Structures are given as structure tokens and as C-alpha cells.
Amino acid sequence: MQKNVDILVIGGSAAGIVAATTARAFYPDKQVLIVRKEERAVVPCGIPYIYGTLEGIDQNIIPAAHIEQAGVELMIDEVVSISKDEKNARTASGTVISYDKLVIATGSVPKVPGWLSGTELDGVYTIPKDCSYLDHLRDKLETCRKVVIIGAGFIGVEIADELSKKQLDITLVEVLPHVLQTAFDHELSEKAEDILASAGVSLKLGCKVEEIEGDDGAVSGVRLAGGERLDADAVILATGYLPNTTLAADAGIKLNELGAIRVDEYMRTEDKDVFAVGDCAEKFSFFTRIVKGLMLASTACSEARIAGMNLYKLSRLRTFGGTMSIFSTAIGGTTFAAAGVTEHVAVERGFDIVTGSAEGIDKHPKTLPGVHQQWVKLIVNRESGLVLGGSVIGGTSAGELINVIGVIIENMMTIHEVLTLQFGTHPLLTGPPTGYPLLKAAENVAKQLRK
Amino acid sequence: MQKNVDILVIGGSAAGIVAATTARAFYPDKQVLIVRKEERAVVPCGIPYIYGTLEGIDQNIIPAAHIEQAGVELMIDEVVSISKDEKNARTASGTVISYDKLVIATGSVPKVPGWLSGTELDGVYTIPKDCSYLDHLRDKLETCRKVVIIGAGFIGVEIADELSKKQLDITLVEVLPHVLQTAFDHELSEKAEDILASAGVSLKLGCKVEEIEGDDGAVSGVRLAGGERLDADAVILATGYLPNTTLAADAGIKLNELGAIRVDEYMRTEDKDVFAVGDCAEKFSFFTRIVKGLMLASTACSEARIAGMNLYKLSRLRTFGGTMSIFSTAIGGTTFAAAGVTEHVAVERGFDIVTGSAEGIDKHPKTLPGVHQQWVKLIVNRESGLVLGGSVIGGTSAGELINVIGVIIENMMTIHEVLTLQFGTHPLLTGPPTGYPLLKAAENVAKQLRK
């Protein structure tokens, strides 16, 4: 079968959907087709919550209705090859789709450490974006007592937090000294560790896994370097993801050293009609342009919007300036969030920095019901005064407060400009105008800069 | 008695405290004294909540501990006169305080419409920042059945919402066609009206009060233009505030046409050693420099920080650029917030504008517990693309989301820059990355600009 479209998007998770719907919004006379192999697309960052708060995978599906409402066609099939020269793609069912513009949004796949033995055992799971696999894991966990999670990044920590609400022995093993260490400053990691420990999660930090042990083909435990052995009915490998770029590589599209598709500021590959967005596309730092392996749905969607807008007409106003690394999560009802560089990375990269923090409350007065402590930290470049990073520990509102800090950083505002910003405050919604923690943190930075 | 200080602050509510503590932070070798007449300072924006959510005025006091911790001295006394020439102030108790720099932060007092008869009757109340008066009103309301609130600004609406939780007949009378009309676009006002009406508040909109009627010196009802009569055991006048500037005027300090103290960008009066901040100081619009009568704790605190930083050394980096008008409130558990100009004001002032809105959710997927609808609207200047205003209706996180929009406006960002902003998202904390309502609203504006 032969099919012709103006814009072909391969992959229909977050990035693919946003690229397609943005393309329709900005080029309403163009036909847009998404081809994806999954009948239903899971909400990627919602996955941990199907193991506790939600009742299962059915409650964590990206609604397909939005795709149709935007006038985008959705085809369930798998693209098996791309020809850049002929400008077409071939699917598993034999359809050849000719395109004018191609967007590759093939996402990522779990990274299984090659050096680790026992990963093939029954009862050892990864967290792919695959509904039936994730649902099967949910059933399996119902029958378990002891679960070991390897890797304390966001997926590992969030699943541990969710599973801690059930009658399970949870152990979280991390080779680095702290949970969430690549995303957060130590103040956040340590507080998160306290909360996880209080919820009964056993933390094995700074511990390398030596081997996953099995018994008759099924997992029985995990042996740590140093000899300690953890019993396990199930093991979850939360050890990161790799760009899913075999299809692109086979088509001769250039990859970077991390296996991601090389793109320019417009999310375009070296072929001017082929774009790549999301986890499969190259990431670089907003601050240094260093290539990164970071994967975030919010970054993916931002890239997808930029690709969608630039497909037919490049706009110098609409470029991707590098990953800002805005992270947020909630653990045991406390929000942890960060934007920009961490203190550790700032120092490592060679920035001369000043940091300042302040603690307050997220409603006011503090006698109101539901008040949560709110702590804000800012990281500022000493010479320029530019805000490079920020962190928040707080209640629910911290999820948007970190976006306030994100906009400050992305606008390249100095700490002097932050000090004169006006913030709306309300008793039931924010910290007090007299002690808004973000401004108090800015003041503490300014005090140090005056020394 | 004679006393000498480096910096004298008259008034010890939000603005006075922030001016004093900022001065200490930026000029740590200077002595700072606050003189205020109230033993305890009420949290101004928390006042409505002492009539419902909180257990009384004792739960709504600005902690004095912060003042002392900042190294600021607090004197309870009333300043009765200022001499600019002698650089001193005299108190009711007879103390003469010599200052090097003076900050006037005398706040505001309720505005009682002069043309309205019956305001002197027993059972007619205003909402001054006076603990014992507010506490007395709380006791009085315990004995009432029918309460009429005149004025549907923030104070009137928030008190109505709080009182609606009690067994009281509440009527809210407003001369304008909508509640909160000067702060909000009609979409927000209408939704707020629906919520208030559902909570049992009787709304009399577009109704002028003719007279407050009494019986033997006590209030008995309110007569509206057109003849309708409302029974009332108590009447609350929520009809705005006037700058409290008698002291300043008596000292020969220049006032503007609204009775507020004239100030420059550094919050300085014409006397270079005398500053004024908060409700008593002149306000002008960020967008047009038109003089305004607006009073907001957050604006007051922003002004106070700027005055505190500039007391001894003006900094061109630290000026007040005009009131941004960032408002937020919660009515019946729904948050309403706006920043910048409303659509009505934009048109009235002569801006050629494009607006765009989008509705989504404030957590994702929508199956999560506690998900609230979130609606965002942006108002954009057609020719420049600059964002002039924005509104949000949502859950609790909307209180900080409006500050994201505030920073966008204050940075003079265009809609094109907004479209490429990166926002952190998380299932439990924000809308989805694929349909973050702020970005969808921006996209809807951009679509129209392309037409």
C-alpha cells in the first residue's frame, strides 16, 4: 500500500503528539500522520503511580482524542525503515508512506547494564513504556513480599514511594552516595532519603550491585559488592534509558556519542526535511552546550513544539536553547524540585558561584490548615550575578514555583532583577509577602555578593 | 525623651517590617527602629479567614520574632508629628526620635462612602487592620443571622465565602455588574459568582445601595436603589481603603490627587531622606504609568524592599517599575488569579490586543485524586507580541502559576519567547507536558497572530 502525507511523525508518545499537533496548529493546510506501534500510549511520567495511587495502567493513558481533535491522523503500525533519499518510510504491514517532512520521535528504551548477570531471570523487570508489560509487573507485585529496586533516579524513587504504601519490603539500591543525586543538591536528596526511610523503604546508598541471583530461572536475591545479600521476589531495574535510534541509524541519520540523533537548534538533523525530538534526539546543556544524556518529558515537549513550528519555515525566534533541566517530584507528600544547574555541577563546570537559601511557609499565616514548610535555594554566578540554578522543597505549589525559577533562569535574569520582581501572594496559596522564601533566598545571595 | 536612630520606620505592618529588615540586611551597620501604635500587627490579607477557617484573630498575627531576629528594634507608640527640617518625629508618649533616614509606612484606612447614610449605626462595620475591632466583629457575627456585605472586591468576596460556611444569610451587594471586576476578566468573575451562589451567597450585582436603615441606633437593613430592602443584623462595608497620610501631609510631604504620598522610582519623596512605601505611597501602572489607587500587600512589600535597598545608596538596578497588579484568591476551593492588565483595561487604554485561552488539568493523568481543571488566558499586544496580562482559574498551584505569568510580563517577554520556554511538569504537581495550559494558550495566541 502507498500513502502520501505532508508531515510524517514516527512515534506517538508525548513528543510525537506535540510535534504533530503543533505542526497542525502552525501549518493548518498540511496533512499530518502519526505512526506508532502501540495501540495505547502510556503517560510516561505517570508510570510509577500505577503501582500505588492509580488503579492500573488503564488510568494512565494519553488520551487519543486530543490527536484526532487536532486534525492529526493516527495509524497503528511499526515503521521498519526510512529512506531519506526517496523520502518515504516502510511499515511492518507493508505500507510505504511518502513524506515531505519527517519527525522522528521514537523515544527511549530501558538501559540494562551489560556487565550485570542475572538480568534475564524471571522476576527481573525494567520499566519500558509498554502497557501490557507494565500491567503484568503490577500483577506480579501483588504476589510479592520482597522487592529490590536498583537505581535511585526518579523512576526508582517514585516507584519505591508508591510501593511503600503497600505491605511490601522495599529495598532501594543506588551506587551513588545519594538518591536523585544527578538531579538535586544534597539538601533535597537527604530530605527525600529521610522521608523514604520513614515510610519503611530500606536504602542501600553508595552500594554497587554485584549480581542478581536466581533459583531455577527465577530471581531469588541481589548480591551487593562487599558481600551483603538481599532476598528478592522481584527486582526492578531503574537504571536509566537509552535513545531508541536503531531505525534512524539504519537510515544513515547521524547519531552523537551517546547514541542520540544529532540535531540543530531547530531540532533538525543534517537532512533539512528530517527532524528529531524527545528522548531519541540529542540533548545539550543550556549553560555550557555540553552534550547530555538527560531525558525529560517537559524537554521533549518543548523540542517537539519547536520542531513543529519550524517544519516549513525556520524562525530565528523559535529555537531550542539547550536543556534547562527542570525537575520536580513528590515523595511522601513533600515536593522536591530543581531548575538549572545544581551546586555540584556548577562547581564542576568551573562557575564561581554564590548560593543563598531561605525557609518559610507555603501558606500564611502558618495557623492555616495544610501549611507546608517551603525552602528555596538559589545558585548565582558571582561575576555576572546571573541566576544559574534553584531548588525548592515544599508543598504542592512548589511544582509551579520551580517554573517561576525556570523562567528567571531562562530569561538570564540577574539576582538584582529578581530582588525587584513582584510576586502575587495570598494566604491560602503562597508564602507571605513579608517572607516569600524565593525573595529571602535572593536577599541572602545579595548580602554575600556585597561582602 | 530623646532617641537617635539611623533609620526610622513609621508603621509596622507588612511594608514597614520589610523596609526595616531589608535595610538591616543591606546596611548591617545601621540602627533601625520601627515605631507602630499596634501591640500586635494583623496579617492584612489573612483577615477574611478569621471569620471562618481560622479560630480568631490570635491565629492571624504577623510574628514579631522576625523583627527582632533581623536586629530591628520595635517601639509601640504613635508618631504624632514629623519635622523634615529637624529630621525628627514626635510620639504620643512625648519621645522625640531623630533620624538620618525616614520610611513612612502608615498604610491605609477603610473608605466609608460619605454620601451613604446610616454608616454610623451600631452593627455597621468596616474592616480596619485593628485586632480588637476585628475580634469584636467576629463575636458580633456569632449572634447574627442576616449579614449584608457592601462591596464585592477581594475583602467582600472572601468574607462572604468564609461566612457562607456558617449558618448565616449572606447577601453581597456590588454596584458594578460583576464581583472582582476591577481585578479580573469576566470569565473569572462569572465563575466566582457561580461558586458563591452555589454556596448560598445571595448576589446583588449592579445594585447601588441607597441607604443603611436603622432602628433605635442599630442597623436593621439596607435599602437598594429601585426600592428593594434587605434585612440585616450586621452590615460590612467592604468599600475600599484610603491612604493613611494625614501625618505625612501635616509634615508638608507632597501627596498625589488620590491622597497618596508622591514617590520616585526609588520610593523616595521629594525630601531625599524620606521614603514612603505600601498603601500610603503612590502607585502607578507598570504599563502606562497612569496613577492608580490599587493596594496590595505584595506590591507594598516589593516597594519596601526597594526603599530598604536604596536608603543610603541609590542603585539604578533596584527601582520600582510600576504596579504589576498580580492578584490571587481562592473561592470555594477554586483559585482565581490574574497578572498585568485585564482585557477590559487593555482595550480601554488603547492597546491593540489578541487573547488566547486553553483549558486543561492541574495534575496528570486526570484519573489522579485531587485533579482540578486549569484554565489559562493570555492577553498579548498585537504589534509587539509582548504579553500584557494573564489569568488562571485552577487549583492551589494556580497561586504560583500566576507568578510564572507575572515574571513573563515583568521581563517583557513576547509570545514567541513564551512558546519556547521550558516548564517542569510532574503528574502530582502540574498539568501535562503535552497540554500545559499556559503553553496551549500561548499557541492559541500565536495562531491568531499568523492570520
Side-chain angles (χ1 to χ4, degrees):
Chain A
M1 207 181 102
Q2 170 69 34
K3 196 171 163 76
N4 300 310
V5 293
D6 296 316
I7 300 165
L8 171 62
V9 179
I10 305 176
S13 184
I17 293 172
V18 171
T21 56
T22 306
R24 277 291 297 176
F26 283 79
Y27 305 102
D29 55 332
K30 302 292 180 187
Q31 261 181 290
V32 185
L33 171 69
I34 293 175
V35 180
R36 78 172 182 215
K37 59 174 190 273
E38 305 85 3
E39 183 69 47
R40 300 191 304 164
V42 68
V43 177
C45 37
I47 293 172
Y49 303 100
I50 67 176
Y51 299 110
T53 306
L54 297 176
E55 277 156 35
I57 196 78
D58 293 346
Q59 293 198 330
N60 192 45
I61 301 298
I62 301 180
H66 297 344
I67 300 174
E68 287 157 33
Q69 279 158 21
V72 172
E73 190 188 347
L74 175 63
M75 180 193 285
I76 308 302
D77 202 344
E78 185 178 356
V79 172
V80 293
S81 67
I82 299 165
S83 168
K84 284 190 300 175
D85 297 336
E86 295 172 29
K87 296 185 72 170
N88 67 30
R90 186 175 296 271
T91 73
S93 74
T95 305
V96 175
I97 307 164
S98 293
Y99 63 77
D100 189 14
K101 303 286 177 183
L102 174 67
V103 181
I104 304 175
T106 46
S108 55
V109 290
K111 177 165 63 185
V112 178
W115 52 263
L116 182 61
S117 73
T119 58
E120 77 296 345
L121 291 164
D122 268 3
V124 178
Y125 293 86
T126 57
I127 305 292
K129 285 151 233 165
D130 175 328
C131 289
S132 62
Y133 184 99
L134 294 170
D135 222 15
H136 172 69
L137 171 56
R138 194 169 192 276
D139 293 342
K140 166 73 182 179
L141 290 170
E142 298 288 330
T143 69
C144 288
R145 211 171 58 80
K146 290 171 188 285
V147 179
V148 175
I149 301 169
I150 301 175
F154 285 99
I155 292 283
V157 164
E158 289 172 350
I159 291 180
D161 184 40
E162 285 290 290
L163 291 180
S164 74
K165 297 167 189 166
K166 306 198 163 182
Q167 299 307 312
L168 288 168
D169 276 2
I170 314 293
T171 306
L172 183 58
V173 184
E174 169 60 52
V175 68
L176 294 173
H178 288 295
V179 305
L180 302 170
Q181 185 173 321
T182 56
F184 287 154
D185 279 345
H186 70 94
E187 296 94 331
L188 283 75
S189 294
E190 286 166 14
K191 174 89 176 166
E193 288 159 14
D194 289 347
I195 292 174
L196 288 167
S198 304
V201 175
S202 169
L203 296 172
K204 299 283 176 188
L205 302 176
C207 288
K208 192 170 184 313
V209 173
E210 200 65 30
E211 188 186 356
I212 301 176
E213 296 181 335
D215 190 3
D216 212 9
V219 71
S220 62
V222 171
R223 198 157 45 74
L224 304 180
E228 190 180 358
R229 190 185 177 283
L230 308 168
D231 280 345
D233 307 320
V235 170
I236 296 173
L237 290 174
T239 43
Y241 293 82
L242 291 171
N244 181 23
T245 51
T246 315
L247 183 68
D250 289 349
I253 294 165
K254 199 176 279 180
L255 307 185
N256 73 7
E257 63 269 39
L258 301 173
I261 300 169
R262 299 255 337 236
V263 286
D264 64 15
E265 283 186 289
Y266 306 90
M267 304 312 298
R268 207 169 43 164
T269 67
E270 286 191 336
D271 181 324
K272 80 176 185 36
D273 294 323
V274 181
F275 292 69
V277 297
D279 289 357
C280 66
E282 180 168 61
K283 306 281 171 276
F284 60 91
S285 160
F286 178 83
F287 301 96
T288 59
R289 299 194 66 85
I290 285 174
V291 169
K292 303 184 70 154
L294 185 73
M295 293 174 189
L296 267 170
S298 51
T299 307
C301 292
S302 182
E303 294 171 0
R305 261 187 301 276
I306 286 161
M309 294 189 286
N310 282 297
L311 282 174
Y312 284 89
K313 284 192 292 190
L314 293 199
S315 167
R316 198 66 195 105
L317 282 174
R318 292 173 181 161
T319 59
F320 189 72
T323 296
M324 279 284 303
S325 309
I326 309 181
F327 297 103
S328 53
T329 188
I331 305 165
T334 293
T335 298
F336 296 86
V341 296
T342 59
E343 190 168 348
H344 177 76
V345 167
V347 170
E348 191 184 274
R349 292 285 183 266
F351 290 105
D352 181 14
I353 57 164
V354 176
T355 71
S357 64
E359 183 145 25
I361 45 180
D362 74 343
K363 296 179 175 58
H364 65 281
K366 68 172 185 224
T367 46
L368 283 166
V371 169
H372 200 291
Q373 288 295 108
Q374 187 185 88
W375 176 91
V376 177
K377 174 177 172 178
L378 294 174
I379 298 170
V380 173
N381 191 200
R382 187 189 299 272
E383 184 271 337
S384 64
L386 290 168
V387 181
L388 300 179
S391 300
V392 185
I393 305 174
T396 311
S397 64
E400 294 296 359
L401 183 56
I402 201 65
N403 285 326
V404 173
I405 297 175
V407 175
I408 287 170
I409 298 170
E410 203 161 343
N411 266 293
M412 300 196 65
M413 292 182 76
T414 67
I415 197 73
H416 312 291
E417 292 171 303
V418 173
L419 280 168
T420 63
L421 276 174
Q422 294 171 51
F423 293 102
T425 58
H426 187 272
L428 305 179
L429 304 170
T430 70
T434 49
Y436 191 67
L438 171 54
L439 285 168
K440 297 305 279 184
E443 191 177 295
N444 287 334
V445 170
K447 268 197 258 187
Q448 289 177 67
L449 287 175
R450 291 167 58 88
K451 275 177 192 160
Chain B
M1 208 181 102
Q2 170 69 32
K3 196 171 163 73
N4 299 309
V5 293
D6 296 316
I7 301 164
L8 171 63
V9 179
I10 304 176
S13 184
I17 292 171
V18 171
T21 55
T22 307
R24 276 291 297 175
F26 283 79
Y27 305 102
D29 55 331
K30 302 292 181 188
Q31 262 181 289
V32 186
L33 171 70
I34 293 176
V35 180
R36 78 173 182 216
K37 58 175 191 275
E38 306 85 3
E39 183 68 46
R40 301 192 303 166
V42 69
V43 177
C45 38
I47 292 172
Y49 303 99
I50 66 176
Y51 300 110
T53 306
L54 297 176
E55 278 157 34
I57 196 78
D58 293 346
Q59 292 199 331
N60 192 46
I61 301 298
I62 301 179
H66 296 343
I67 300 174
E68 286 156 36
Q69 277 159 22
V72 171
E73 190 187 348
L74 176 63
M75 180 193 284
I76 309 302
D77 202 344
E78 185 179 356
V79 172
V80 292
S81 67
I82 298 166
S83 168
K84 285 191 300 176
D85 297 335
E86 294 172 31
K87 296 185 72 169
N88 67 31
R90 186 175 296 270
T91 73
S93 74
T95 304
V96 175
I97 306 164
S98 293
Y99 62 79
D100 188 14
K101 303 285 176 183
L102 175 67
V103 180
I104 303 175
T106 44
S108 56
V109 290
K111 177 164 64 185
V112 177
W115 51 264
L116 181 60
S117 73
T119 58
E120 76 298 344
L121 291 164
D122 269 4
V124 178
Y125 293 85
T126 58
I127 305 292
K129 286 151 231 165
D130 175 328
C131 289
S132 62
Y133 184 99
L134 294 170
D135 222 17
H136 171 71
L137 170 56
R138 193 169 193 276
D139 293 341
K140 166 74 181 180
L141 290 169
E142 298 288 329
T143 70
C144 287
R145 210 169 60 77
K146 291 171 187 284
V147 179
V148 175
I149 301 169
I150 301 175
F154 286 97
I155 291 282
V157 164
E158 289 172 349
I159 291 180
D161 184 40
E162 286 289 290
L163 291 180
S164 74
K165 297 167 189 167
K166 305 199 165 182
Q167 298 307 312
L168 287 169
D169 277 2
I170 313 294
T171 306
L172 184 58
V173 184
E174 169 60 53
V175 68
L176 294 172
H178 289 294
V179 305
L180 302 170
Q181 185 173 321
T182 56
F184 287 153
D185 278 346
H186 70 94
E187 296 95 331
L188 282 75
S189 294
E190 285 165 14
K191 174 89 177 164
E193 288 159 14
D194 289 349
I195 292 174
L196 288 166
S198 305
V201 175
S202 168
L203 296 172
K204 299 284 176 187
L205 303 176
C207 289
K208 193 170 183 316
V209 172
E210 201 63 33
E211 187 186 356
I212 302 176
E213 297 180 335
D215 190 4
D216 213 8
V219 70
S220 61
V222 171
R223 196 157 47 73
L224 305 180
E228 190 181 356
R229 191 184 176 282
L230 307 167
D231 281 344
D233 306 320
V235 170
I236 297 173
L237 290 173
T239 42
Y241 292 81
L242 291 171
N244 181 23
T245 50
T246 315
L247 183 69
D250 289 348
I253 294 165
K254 200 177 277 180
L255 308 185
N256 73 8
E257 63 270 39
L258 301 172
I261 299 170
R262 300 255 339 236
V263 287
D264 64 16
E265 282 186 288
Y266 306 90
M267 304 311 299
R268 207 168 42 164
T269 67
E270 285 191 336
D271 180 324
K272 82 176 183 37
D273 295 322
V274 181
F275 293 69
V277 298
D279 289 358
C280 67
E282 180 167 61
K283 306 282 171 276
F284 61 92
S285 160
F286 178 82
F287 301 94
T288 59
R289 298 194 66 85
I290 284 174
V291 169
K292 303 184 71 154
L294 185 71
M295 293 174 190
L296 268 170
S298 51
T299 307
C301 291
S302 182
E303 295 171 358
R305 262 187 300 277
I306 286 161
M309 294 189 286
N310 283 296
L311 282 174
Y312 284 89
K313 284 192 291 191
L314 293 198
S315 167
R316 199 67 195 100
L317 284 173
R318 293 173 180 159
T319 60
F320 189 73
T323 296
M324 279 283 302
S325 309
I326 310 181
F327 298 104
S328 53
T329 188
I331 304 165
T334 293
T335 299
F336 297 86
V341 296
T342 59
E343 190 169 346
H344 177 78
V345 166
V347 171
E348 192 185 271
R349 293 285 183 267
F351 291 105
D352 182 13
I353 57 165
V354 176
T355 71
S357 64
E359 182 146 24
I361 44 180
D362 74 344
K363 295 179 176 57
H364 65 283
K366 67 172 185 223
T367 46
L368 282 166
V371 169
H372 200 290
Q373 288 295 108
Q374 187 183 88
W375 175 89
V376 176
K377 174 177 173 179
L378 293 175
I379 298 170
V380 173
N381 191 199
R382 187 188 300 270
E383 184 271 338
S384 65
L386 290 169
V387 181
L388 300 179
S391 299
V392 185
I393 305 174
T396 310
S397 64
E400 295 296 359
L401 183 55
I402 200 65
N403 286 325
V404 173
I405 297 175
V407 176
I408 287 170
I409 299 171
E410 203 160 345
N411 266 295
M412 301 195 66
M413 292 182 76
T414 67
I415 197 73
H416 312 291
E417 293 172 300
V418 173
L419 280 168
T420 63
L421 275 175
Q422 294 171 50
F423 292 103
T425 57
H426 186 272
L428 306 179
L429 304 170
T430 70
T434 50
Y436 191 68
L438 171 55
L439 284 168
K440 299 304 280 183
E443 190 176 295
N444 287 335
V445 170
K447 269 197 258 187
Q448 291 177 64
L449 287 175
R450 290 166 59 88
K451 275 177 192 160

